[in-house]
Amino acid sequence: MCGIVGYIGKRDTQSVLIEGLKKLEYRGYDSAGIAVYTNNGLKITKATGRLANLEHKLEDAPLVGNAGIGHTRWATHGKPSDVNSHPHTDHSKKFSVVHNGIVENYLELKDELISQGYEFVSETDTEVISHLLAREYNGDIVTAVQKAISYMRGAFALGVLTEYEPDKLVAVRQASPLVIGIGDGENFIGSDIPALLNYTRKVYILNDGEMAVLTKDAVELMTIEGNFISREMINVDWDAVTAEKGGFAHFMLKEIHEQPKAYRDTMLGRIDESGRRIILPDLHLTEDKIRSINNVHVVACGTAYHAGLVGGAVIERLVRIPVMYDVASEYRYRSPLITPETLVIVVSQSGETADTLAALREAQANGAHVLAITNVVGSSIARDADDVINTLAGPEIAVASTKAYTSQLIAFYLFSLYLAQVRGTQTDDEIAHMIAAMHALPEQVESMLANVDAIKVYAEHIAKHEDLFFIGRGLDFAVAMEGSLKLKEISYIHSEAYAAGELKHGTLALIEEGIPVIALATQESVLEKTVSNIKEVKARGADVLALTHEEHVAGLLKSVDQAFAIPKTLSILTPALSVVPLQLLAYYASLARGNDVDKPRNLAKSVTVE
């Protein structure tokens, strides 16, 4: 998730671009840059770090002109650096492009362009686009853009300028958001509406497979095939704060709703075109090394640790390698048994978690190969690990993690299937079957997000309580721990998660008349046993909400007070669905108690001290 802006008109372009990028910095903040068509041709200034660094550069050498594009970056290909920052150009510096998304086949396109004599300077997928534009240009930038994108697979929103046609700004949308702003003698593009609100409230929303050609006096909408489109203009009545949150009341709710996109983005480019194999082209872990692994350690903190509990169980089930779990703050102090045949997987949303970074270094010092699963390219953990799988959730603003957690699950599923593929522990058909089920997950999450009324009502009910319990078995227990943490983090209700089979070992003493218990019952292999545990708490007066598959709701309602259904998927994939209603439950309970949902007390987004 990055932010792009563009302007063509009568104002000082640099100021418009910088103001627009400030409104989009929540979409990415590891680098920023602008390209402006000046009296001396296309000129570009970019800087690593927050937008303020770019502003400081421009104070000394402003870019003066009336057309330009800008970008604030959340890195996906290539570490944060000046050279990897956008805008990108071709070798002649006649074409400039900003890009939000992923060019899935950029490596093969890059190899082809290099063989044709084009020279690359960055590590990004975006630079491929600028060279394609240069190759395909034959006097018409619109045709060149259409030809370039015909070679590209993936997700992209583009802003394109060329020195050859300074009176045009071209915008394209394919699976990444893009908005066109309409002014008087000026027009705009932006990833989100907030970038435009200081200048106009009249917008067109581009749909996938559409593009726009902007001049200062007109906007033409068309399909990427060149068929012109007529569309009604929208008048935006949001205030700036609401617009920044995409119309949602809080960033947390927005990020919960962004999960289907995060699922798709994290899978993008990591499944072959046949849908039957996993491809992890950036992985340095050789197949021989994979075959030599005899144990796995999963190390993380908080929500990332809960993702690791699911991920480790998936590795054991699919790959048949023993997995040990540890919270990062304890790992290095207990002298873990590590050998060169140990694979250590560290998980961190920020890539800066101090305890996890220390655990990574301890593992490497003892000869282990370390794989990091993180959401921030170029973070300390990403730099120091031997291998990295970047989740592609984009920036997460709310303190309570939602889309970062579920993207970590997707990364674990992909990696586990890749290990199984190399080691031959799953057949080709079994792998293809699971991949097909993974492809269905985003739409299944969308279906749940469209039906939240029952969750809202139950959240208002539990908001009146001070204690609550979650129970579950197997993967359900791992998800119960995350659901409990979410509730505690933002509602401040005391909550505990227990393995349902452990209830007899003391926990039942805590069950009192009317106390809420949330029972996860999605795992078919232990469903009967889970129902028995539900009856135990119900017999002692608990008010029980069950979370289960649609087909089991009727049966469970004989034993519980309420039941919430999740769509049917493979048992091993249910955590990617069952956690979503628990996130919503925490959100609405916090709301009902009048708390600051996005900034809960005493918590920080990234824990960078031990």
Side-chain angles (χ1 to χ4, degrees):
M1 182 191 289
C2 303
I4 68 175
V5 294
Y7 175 74
I8 187 164
K10 55 198 175 185
R11 300 177 195 258
D12 171 52
T13 295
Q14 175 180 302
S15 299
V16 175
L17 296 179
I18 292 298
E19 287 305 308
L21 291 177
K22 285 180 180 177
K23 300 298 185 183
L24 296 180
E25 201 170 11
Y26 66 89
R27 295 182 64 89
Y29 38 75
D30 58 42
S31 60
I34 63 171
V36 175
Y37 182 74
T38 73
N39 289 334
N40 297 314
L42 268 176
K43 298 298 178 184
I44 294 175
T45 301
K46 30 191 193 175
T48 308
R50 304 299 289 240
L51 186 58
N53 296 345
L54 176 64
E55 291 186 272
H56 292 323
K57 276 192 175 183
L58 291 168
E59 286 173 2
D60 298 328
L63 301 183
V64 180
N66 297 116
I69 50 179
H71 188 274
T72 182
R73 185 173 187 239
W74 184 261
T76 56
H77 291 84
K79 65 185 178 182
S81 67
D82 286 359
V83 73
N84 287 333
S85 304
H86 298 219
H88 285 283
T89 68
D90 68 306
H91 189 62
S92 71
K93 295 185 168 43
K94 301 295 186 184
F95 299 88
S96 184
V97 61
V98 288
H99 168 217
N100 170 32
I102 300 165
V103 180
E104 190 173 343
N105 60 331
Y106 86 100
L107 284 174
E108 58 191 78
L109 291 173
K110 184 174 183 178
D111 288 343
E112 177 186 315
L113 288 161
I114 289 173
S115 73
Q116 295 169 353
Y118 292 88
E119 298 178 11
F120 285 75
V121 297
S122 79
E123 304 168 287
T124 69
D125 56 338
T126 303
E127 193 182 354
V128 163
I129 305 171
S130 57
H131 290 300
L132 285 173
L133 292 170
R135 188 185 74 180
E136 299 300 328
Y137 187 72
N138 192 24
D140 181 11
I141 187 59
V142 176
T143 301
V145 169
Q146 290 168 338
K147 287 182 178 178
I149 62 179
S150 71
Y151 300 111
M152 294 158 48
R153 296 197 309 271
F156 40 87
L158 307 178
V160 176
L161 284 179
T162 178
E163 195 170 298
Y164 296 121
E165 299 179 57
D167 60 336
K168 290 179 182 174
L169 167 59
V170 181
V172 183
R173 170 177 175 159
Q174 180 60 49
S176 290
L178 199 61
V179 180
I180 310 298
I182 310 302
D184 181 11
E186 59 184 356
N187 291 300
F188 311 79
I189 68 171
S191 291
D192 276 345
I193 288 170
L196 313 180
L197 285 184
N198 282 352
Y199 307 102
T200 184
R201 291 180 176 271
K202 298 176 180 178
V203 303
Y204 293 119
I205 309 293
L206 287 188
N207 296 322
D208 287 348
E210 294 180 351
M211 59 189 294
V213 182
L214 290 73
T215 65
K216 67 182 179 62
D217 296 314
V219 172
E220 289 183 332
L221 304 181
M222 65 186 76
T223 67
I224 57 177
E225 293 82 19
N227 300 314
F228 288 98
I229 300 168
S230 177
R231 176 162 300 144
E232 185 177 348
M233 193 182 298
I234 298 171
N235 191 68
V236 178
D237 58 5
W238 292 342
D239 61 37
V241 174
T242 302
E244 190 170 295
K245 294 172 182 173
F248 292 97
H250 297 89
F251 277 110
M252 182 180 177
L253 187 60
K254 177 175 181 280
E255 288 157 7
I256 289 172
H257 280 260
E258 287 174 343
Q259 287 176 122
K261 182 180 186 302
Y263 287 24
R264 293 183 179 106
D265 287 350
T266 301
M267 286 188 273
L268 195 65
R270 290 164 172 166
I271 298 169
D272 75 358
E273 289 188 59
S274 72
R276 295 182 62 83
R277 293 184 68 77
I278 303 298
I279 47 175
L280 299 176
D282 298 327
L283 209 63
H284 299 114
L285 196 62
T286 66
E287 292 192 359
D288 285 343
K289 180 68 174 177
I290 288 172
R291 294 186 187 98
S292 74
I293 296 168
N294 61 25
N295 68 103
V296 175
H297 295 181
V298 176
V299 184
C301 299
T303 284
Y305 175 71
H306 295 156
L309 292 177
V310 175
V314 172
I315 290 172
E316 283 195 333
R317 193 175 299 183
L318 296 182
V319 194
R320 309 311 298 162
I321 303 174
V323 178
M324 187 210 75
Y325 313 86
D326 221 333
V327 289
S329 58
E330 295 292 328
Y331 185 70
R332 61 195 170 114
Y333 296 115
R334 64 173 188 79
S335 300
L337 299 177
I338 300 170
T339 72
E341 288 72 43
T342 300
L343 173 66
V344 175
I345 303 175
V346 297
V347 192
S348 169
Q349 187 281 138
S350 68
E352 301 294 345
T353 311
D355 287 317
T356 306
L357 185 59
L360 179 158
R361 291 168 177 163
E362 174 76 10
Q364 287 177 325
N366 285 277
H369 188 98
V370 178
L371 168 74
I373 295 177
T374 181
N375 195 36
V376 182
V377 174
S379 60
S380 298
I381 286 172
R383 292 196 307 269
D384 287 5
D386 301 299
D387 264 311
V388 183
I389 296 178
N390 293 303
T391 57
L392 301 174
E396 198 174 56
I397 307 302
V399 168
S401 180
T402 52
K403 64 177 181 172
Y405 167 82
T406 45
S407 295
Q408 288 162 0
L409 297 187
I410 299 299
F412 266 115
Y413 290 134
L414 291 168
F415 183 63
S416 301
L417 283 170
Y418 184 73
L419 294 181
Q421 191 173 281
V422 172
R423 292 173 67 111
T425 54
Q426 300 291 312
T427 68
D428 291 346
D429 286 345
E430 287 169 333
I431 290 170
H433 183 54
M434 185 164 166
I435 289 172
M438 288 174 65
H439 277 309
L441 291 174
E443 188 173 339
Q444 291 176 315
V445 172
E446 287 166 351
S447 72
M448 288 190 292
L449 294 174
N451 296 281
V452 299
D453 289 347
I455 287 292
K456 283 184 183 179
V457 171
Y458 193 72
E460 291 167 0
H461 166 63
I462 65 171
K464 302 168 187 174
H465 292 260
E466 295 302 326
D467 298 283
L468 184 144
F469 295 97
F470 289 78
I471 61 172
R473 286 175 173 265
L475 291 175
D476 279 342
F477 175 48
V479 177
M481 293 177 71
E482 174 59 14
S484 177
L485 176 62
K486 280 293 147 296
L487 189 69
K488 285 184 284 195
E489 278 182 313
I490 62 173
S491 76
Y492 317 144
I493 297 170
H494 169 248
S495 172
E496 299 291 342
Y498 290 102
E502 291 294 294
L503 287 170
K504 295 187 184 70
H505 300 279
T507 318
L508 276 171
L510 298 173
I511 302 300
E512 300 174 343
E513 186 70 33
I515 197 165
V517 173
I518 298 171
L520 280 74
T522 73
Q523 298 299 297
E524 303 287 346
S525 61
V526 290
L527 183 60
E528 289 184 359
K529 293 182 180 298
T530 302
V531 172
S532 295
N533 300 138
I534 289 171
K535 290 178 177 178
E536 289 173 341
V537 295
K538 187 62 188 163
R540 287 157 179 81
D543 180 271
V544 182
L545 169 71
L547 194 66
T548 189
H549 291 301
E550 295 155 338
E551 65 200 66
H552 298 305
V553 167
L556 273 170
L557 282 173
K558 299 173 184 176
S559 305
V560 302
D561 298 281
Q562 297 181 60
F564 186 86
I566 66 169
K568 183 67 175 176
T569 187
L570 302 178
S571 289
I572 202 168
L573 296 179
T574 53
L577 298 180
S578 59
V579 73
V580 175
L582 301 186
Q583 295 168 344
L584 290 165
L585 189 68
Y587 171 80
Y588 287 115
S590 178
L591 208 61
R593 289 166 72 96
N595 297 339
D596 187 338
V597 174
D598 286 335
K599 296 178 181 178
R601 67 191 184 201
N602 303 330
L603 297 178
K605 186 66 185 170
S606 178
V607 182
T608 57
V609 295
E610 188 175 353

